[in-house]
Structures are given as C-alpha cells and as structure tokens.
Amino acid sequence: AQKVTQAQTEISVVEKEDVTLDCVYETRDTTYYLFWYKQPPSGELVFLIRRNSFDEQNEISGRYSWNFQKSTSSFNFTITASQVVDSAVYFCALSEAPTRYGGATNKLIFGTGTLLAVQP
Amino acid sequence: DSGVTQTPKHLITATGQRVTLRCSPRSGDLSVYWYQQSLDQGLQFLIQYYNGEERAKGNILERFSAQQFPDLHSELNLSSLELGDSALYFCASSPPPPQREYGEQFFGPGTRLTVL
C-alpha cells in the first residue's frame, strides 16, 4: 500500500532561518511521482514540484530546494531564508507514475501536512 | 489561477439535505479527481473520472456519488448529509498523454461545505 508520512506536525521559525520539511513515503511501485503542495491560509492548494522516481537529481528553485533520496524513501523540502509569506501548510504527496497510454489512476496520496509558521 | 473552476465557493446546509458540487476542468484535461479535506481525515482521494468513465474510487461514502458529463465537467453529489461531512472539497484535473503536464494535477479553489 502507498503511504506518505510527514512526522512534523508544526514547525515555528523566525524569519530568515532555514527550515527543512521532512517527507517519507512507502510504495511498491517501481516508478512513481512525488509532489509538494503549499496550502496558504486562504485554502487553495498550490503546486510546488513534481519529481519522477528515476530522477534523483536534487532541485533548486529560488529559496526552495528538494532532496530526493530513494535509498531512504525520503523527499525533503528546504526553504532557505524563510519569510512570513512562507507560512502555510505544506503537503507531500505520492502517485503512481502514469502509463504511456493513460491507464494509471494517478490519484494522489497525501501526507498529513506540516504547518509552518514563520515569525517576523 | 489553475484554470480549474469550482462552484459554489461556500455552501451551508442542514443535516439530512442533499447538495451538488460542480467542477469544470482545464481546457483539454480529460481526468477529473475529487478530494475531501477534513480536520480528522486530512486530504483524501474520493473518486476519479477519465473522459466520462469512472476510473478509480477511494474512500467515498455510499451517500456520495459523482459523474462526469460529455462536456467533461463533473458533479459530486452528497446526500443525507451529516455533521461529519463538513469539509473542503477539491476538484483537480489532469491532461491526457502525451502532454508534458501528463501526471500532474491542477487543483480548483475548493468548495467549503458546512453542515449544521
């Protein structure tokens, strides 16, 4: 069965601190996708990144970076120099990789989320 | 703006009632997914439709049903509502292959349902 674990329920940091959000997943699939979504207080789900299971290269986008380690089934998310606007709930999610002909369900299995509070 | 629209934005109703939530996917997307976000259950997959046909079912109650119409919009029907059905209901859509975004899901703004 597929499962995503975000052990950190809440994290509080002071602005400009770096913060890492942990994500551990379980799956029997050999190919799969991993995602991070942000949910600000307004409630919408904002897509941040998708990572394919056979691409273990780490990715950096501005102040955001992601560390994918297949050996430990982890896909951690780091925010550098955090800002108050980063305050939100962050969700890690897993889906089976879509087939070439569209047969996969691609439903997302979400973790329980981590509430990040960045204090000024 | 993801391009996925959901109506209504807010819905307040009483126990025992029936409501319909509507979702219009992004242009060209064939898959529609419904998710429920509640305090006790978190974000849960309910059901997926692909080009009008049911593709996958998650933890969807028997009191709930959905369909996808020929124009690809989808409706989620919730009946015999209970207090515990109060939640944020998201719709998401994704494109078919071989589009570059195939495998990604684009979420609508959600419908907040309050059952009193």
Side-chain angles (χ1 to χ4, degrees):
Chain A
Q2 296 179 315
K3 186 179 176 183
V4 175
T5 301
Q6 295 180 255
Q8 302 152 310
T9 306
E10 292 185 40
I11 300 176
S12 182
V13 298
V14 176
E15 214 171 11
K16 296 184 184 173
E17 279 185 34
D18 299 347
V19 58
T20 295
L21 309 182
D22 298 334
C23 173
V24 174
Y25 63 92
E26 295 174 32
T27 181
R28 291 182 184 161
D29 294 334
T30 52
T31 56
Y32 47 89
Y33 282 169
L34 293 163
F35 301 79
W36 276 95
Y37 285 86
K38 174 182 179 180
Q39 187 175 39
S42 51
E44 73 272 23
L45 281 168
V46 178
F47 167 81
L48 296 178
I49 190 172
R50 179 189 71 179
R51 169 63 66 206
N52 192 313
S53 57
F54 47 81
D55 180 3
E56 287 195 65
Q57 225 175 358
N58 291 330
E59 182 156 341
I60 297 175
S61 175
R63 296 184 297 107
Y64 295 170
S65 62
W66 290 269
N67 183 0
F68 175 34
Q69 293 205 345
K70 215 166 176 178
S71 59
T72 55
S73 297
S74 65
F75 186 43
N76 296 337
F77 172 32
T78 297
I79 302 175
T80 303
S82 59
Q83 300 176 1
V84 173
V85 293
D86 295 327
S87 297
V89 180
Y90 290 86
F91 291 96
C92 180
L94 167 71
S95 79
E96 60 183 279
T99 63
R100 186 175 176 185
Y101 303 105
T105 68
N106 311 131
K107 64 183 180 187
L108 290 171
I109 307 297
F110 285 92
T112 49
T114 297
L115 173 61
L116 174 64
V118 182
Q119 311 295 336
Chain B
D1 186 351
S2 67
V4 178
T5 60
Q6 288 187 250
T7 56
K9 195 164 185 175
H10 299 279
L11 199 47
I12 301 175
T13 188
T15 54
Q17 295 298 306
R18 172 189 168 95
V19 297
T20 297
L21 312 184
R22 184 188 167 103
C23 168
S24 292
R26 297 185 325 154
S27 176
D29 287 359
L30 299 183
S31 270
V32 169
Y33 305 77
W34 286 97
Y35 293 87
Q36 178 196 58
Q37 184 178 27
S38 62
L39 282 175
D40 51 346
Q41 300 287 337
L43 258 169
Q44 281 198 110
F45 167 73
L46 294 178
I47 197 164
Q48 177 202 0
Y49 279 83
Y50 182 84
N51 203 18
E53 293 189 5
E54 182 184 302
R55 175 62 61 87
K57 252 183 175 176
N59 297 325
I60 187 166
L61 299 171
E62 283 190 17
R63 301 183 286 108
F64 296 0
S65 64
Q67 54 184 327
Q68 186 179 27
F69 294 87
D71 67 352
L72 300 177
H73 91 271
S74 177
E75 292 181 357
L76 179 66
N77 300 296
L78 315 177
S79 60
S80 302
L81 285 168
E82 302 175 0
L83 295 177
D85 298 327
S86 295
L88 189 52
Y89 291 85
F90 285 106
C91 167
S93 72
S94 67
Q99 294 188 38
R100 183 179 61 85
E101 297 162 324
Y102 176 51
E104 294 185 28
Q105 291 188 25
F106 299 85
F107 281 81
T111 292
R112 186 167 294 281
L113 172 66
T114 302
V115 182
L116 300 175

